[in-house]
Amino acid sequence: MTVDKFYKTLAREASDAIVYADVAGLIAFWNKGAERIFGFTEAEAMGKSLDLIIPGPQQPRHWAGYMKAVKTGTGRYVDGDILSVPAARKDGTRISVAFTILPFKDKAGRVLGVAAIMRDVTRQSEEVAALRKELAARRTVRP
């Protein structure tokens, strides 16, 4: 197997969502993990705005961060920090995804687009919320 084939297979077949969008936020790569997590096929997602998977209330904050990353090539989540945010599935279900981003630059250092690697962490987020609620309830009940 060639290195090029390895990279292409890795990106397309990964169980985590890998989504690449251009500087305008239009989806230009959508792998099988993205299909599984978000419910949109590659054909449905390609060329669409990232708003496809961003719940309305989170869109202004998302676009502010996205535009900063596009203009500067830097950002909190560019250097490997992981962010958990709400996301939307095709059926309208809200999920929680953890992600990191990678800007793609040309030879002059201008950002051409941004890739995000995302994992559905909904179950873990719900479990943590339930544990926090239980802990808070135990703290308010004194023996």
Side-chain angles (χ1 to χ4, degrees), residues 23-96:
V23 293
L26 299 179
I27 298 167
F29 182 83
W30 186 263
N31 76 342
K32 289 185 179 179
E35 288 184 355
R36 181 183 62 78
I37 290 170
F38 297 109
F40 294 96
T41 65
E42 180 182 18
E44 291 172 315
M46 293 296 286
K48 301 290 190 312
S49 168
L50 288 169
D51 287 341
L52 188 68
I53 59 173
I54 303 165
Q58 281 73 39
Q59 289 176 6
R61 185 173 175 190
H62 161 80
W63 288 113
Y66 190 85
M67 289 305 149
K68 179 183 178 190
V70 165
K71 288 179 183 173
T72 67
T74 63
R76 183 174 173 189
Y77 306 103
V78 172
D79 296 323
D81 285 351
I82 297 173
L83 174 66
S84 290
V85 297
R89 292 181 40 82
K90 180 179 179 178
D91 65 6
T93 304
R94 296 290 187 245
I95 61 173
S96 182

Side-chain angles (χ1 to χ4, degrees), residues 9-32:
T9 301
L10 179 66
R12 290 210 177 278
E13 304 295 327
S15 61
D16 286 341
I18 301 175
V19 177
Y20 173 82
D22 65 15
V23 293
L26 299 179
I27 298 167
F29 182 83
W30 186 263
N31 76 342
K32 289 185 179 179

